[in-house]
Amino acid sequence: MLKSLLAPAAFLYKMGVTLRHRLFDWGILKSEKFDIPIICIGNITVGGTGKTPMAEMLIAYMSQMHRVALLSRGYGRRTRGYLEVQCDSHYRDVGDEPLQIKLKFPDTLVVVCEKRADAIRRIRTEHPEVDLIIMDDGFQHRYVEPKINVVMIDATRPVQHDRMLPAGTLRDLPEELHRAHYFIVTKCPEHMAPIDRRILRKVLIQVAYQRVYFTRFESFMPQPLYTEDADPEPLAHGREVIALSGIGNPGPFVRSLRERYRVVEEMTLDDHHIYRVRDMHALQALLAKHPGAVIVTTEKDAVKMTNRAKVPAEVRRALYYQPINISFIEDSATDFLQKLEQDVRGN
């Protein structure tokens, strides 16, 4: 019933997206090429598909051969224009994901700017040493024509069964997937049947050179955000846990916690949530209700709670974050990264 009611809005949205793409295809809106390799990491759906872990993987690998810059719009920030992210930047000024990346790779230039082409020109002028730009979430943007498009696909929400916003989660047309060079299918089940992979390959591949890789998220032992306040012992399996998340798709995060711990409460917030005093009070109340529990959150949420003065002592003692990375099925990460590097160096 709800999807039927949303269908007219989804149709209008689809018409608007289609018209915009045609304006680029006809040359009325211009895509700009640059004399520096640009890898764009994007998707065609709303919600988390793993763009940030993929950006981190590419920075870690490509920095061995290149001087890399990461360019992001800085979604949800209260500032505008070109900003270079510093390790002491506030997440509300630069965005949570760019700050997370900068804290992991302090020697990497991380830039936020809503006008990507202007940002690239400025990087070229002010940082001539940079010879590779990784652009986060720019597949729809199209004002910049990247050398390589890496598109993230959520295996739990197959595009062939999805619908356009607001009736579904598609924010772009599946027909536009012909512009992708690599597809990274994320959140694959542990024992994914070969027939399911063949179906997805058939759905996604529209051009002969396109490649598909299948991955899942690998979760690691939660780490204390405030090491000086936390118990030095690692969390024991079966420990009571309060799952805290403000991400696009919290399901996999919560499921990974349930595999190791006893999740006694879930505090699920909107994506890019801004943490306020009332959230700290809510966490204090949950800890009082479950005195033996700890709070486990995501890396993206953790960067928003690093201001010690604004986090109550009892929350600091109990606050952990769960690191994740992308794990390729059948050990194909090396194949993907090496082929990507060949494309970066190719003409």
Side-chain angles (χ1 to χ4, degrees):
M1 177 71 72
L2 179 60
K3 286 185 177 181
S4 298
L5 293 173
L6 293 174
F11 175 78
L12 292 175
Y13 178 80
K14 182 177 181 179
M15 291 302 99
V17 172
T18 301
L19 175 60
R20 182 176 180 275
H21 280 301
R22 297 297 83 80
L23 292 176
F24 276 105
D25 295 340
W26 297 332
I28 297 170
L29 295 178
K30 303 295 184 182
S31 296
E32 191 170 350
K33 284 187 175 182
F34 290 88
D35 61 347
I36 181 173
I38 299 170
I39 301 173
C40 170
I41 304 171
N43 61 15
I44 64 168
T45 57
V46 295
T49 53
K51 294 191 305 297
T52 300
M54 175 53 62
E56 293 172 352
M57 171 182 275
L58 295 190
I59 291 171
Y61 181 78
M62 292 296 177
S63 293
Q64 300 174 70
M65 294 80 71
H66 299 276
R67 292 299 299 271
V68 178
L70 185 284
L71 172 59
S72 172
R73 182 177 63 165
Y75 184 86
R77 64 189 177 115
R78 61 188 173 189
T79 57
R80 294 189 63 80
Y82 179 99
L83 281 176
E84 294 184 9
V85 183
Q86 308 299 330
C87 289
D88 60 354
S89 295
H90 195 286
Y91 78 92
R92 293 197 64 190
D93 293 331
V94 299
D96 45 18
E97 290 159 344
L99 180 58
Q100 175 184 323
I101 291 170
K102 183 64 179 181
L103 291 173
K104 280 192 175 182
F105 303 96
D107 296 329
T108 297
L109 175 67
V110 178
V111 169
V112 293
C113 188
E114 61 275 11
K115 295 184 177 180
R116 318 290 177 84
D118 290 349
I120 293 168
R121 282 189 284 272
R122 189 159 170 180
I123 290 170
R124 299 294 285 141
T125 300
E126 298 181 12
H127 299 277
E129 73 282 1
V130 170
D131 63 351
L132 174 63
I133 294 175
I134 296 172
M135 186 168 67
D136 176 45
D137 198 18
F139 187 66
Q140 281 184 291
H141 181 66
R142 292 202 65 177
Y143 285 103
V144 172
E145 185 174 339
K147 186 168 188 177
I148 304 163
N149 275 311
V150 178
V151 175
M152 314 297 290
I153 301 290
D154 187 341
T156 67
R157 296 182 295 186
V159 294
Q160 70 270 29
H161 302 308
D162 210 342
R163 303 175 71 179
M164 299 296 289
L165 289 170
T169 66
L170 290 174
R171 59 173 179 163
D172 204 351
L173 305 172
E175 305 92 270
E176 290 300 315
L177 292 176
H178 72 89
R179 294 187 289 113
H181 299 84
Y182 295 89
F183 295 107
I184 307 298
V185 182
T186 62
K187 305 177 187 175
C188 295
E190 186 171 353
H191 302 291
M192 190 175 191
I195 184 64
D196 293 331
R197 296 187 207 174
R198 286 198 296 272
I199 291 170
L200 267 173
R201 284 194 175 97
K202 186 174 181 180
V203 168
L204 295 174
I205 293 178
Q206 302 178 21
V207 186
Y209 59 74
Q210 293 178 314
R211 295 179 178 273
V212 182
Y213 294 89
F214 297 92
T215 70
R216 63 176 64 95
F217 290 141
E218 184 178 10
S219 302
F220 297 96
M221 178 70 70
Q223 301 296 312
L225 184 58
Y226 294 93
T227 54
E228 63 276 23
D229 297 314
D231 187 334
E233 295 297 319
L235 294 185
H237 276 223
R239 182 77 181 267
E240 288 189 349
V241 159
I242 298 164
L244 170 65
S245 61
I247 55 178
N249 182 7
F253 165 69
V254 176
R255 284 195 295 272
S256 71
L257 291 183
R258 291 189 184 279
E259 290 174 1
R260 303 177 186 176
Y261 308 107
R262 188 156 71 91
V263 177
V264 293
E265 297 279 357
E266 295 179 35
M267 185 169 167
T268 303
L269 306 165
D270 292 337
D271 196 13
H272 301 283
H273 179 75
I274 296 171
Y275 285 87
R276 304 186 187 279
V277 171
R278 64 173 176 267
D279 298 311
M280 297 299 110
H281 289 166
L283 290 172
Q284 286 177 297
L286 290 175
L287 289 172
K289 181 180 176 182
H290 304 281
V294 296
I295 302 163
V296 180
T297 191
T298 70
E299 289 184 280
K300 183 168 134 178
D301 290 290
V303 300
K304 305 176 190 179
M305 291 183 279
T306 55
N307 187 336
R308 184 184 184 87
K310 294 187 176 182
V311 180
E314 58 267 45
V315 175
R316 291 200 305 268
R317 287 193 293 270
L319 188 56
Y320 290 73
Y321 67 93
Q322 185 180 56
I324 64 168
N325 68 11
I326 291 181
S327 175
F328 280 63
I329 296 172
E330 297 179 341
D331 299 320
S332 54
T334 301
D335 179 74
F336 165 65
L337 293 169
Q338 288 179 348
K339 284 184 168 57
L340 192 64
E341 168 62 8
Q342 291 171 6
D343 289 346
V344 167
R345 294 188 179 275
N347 296 322

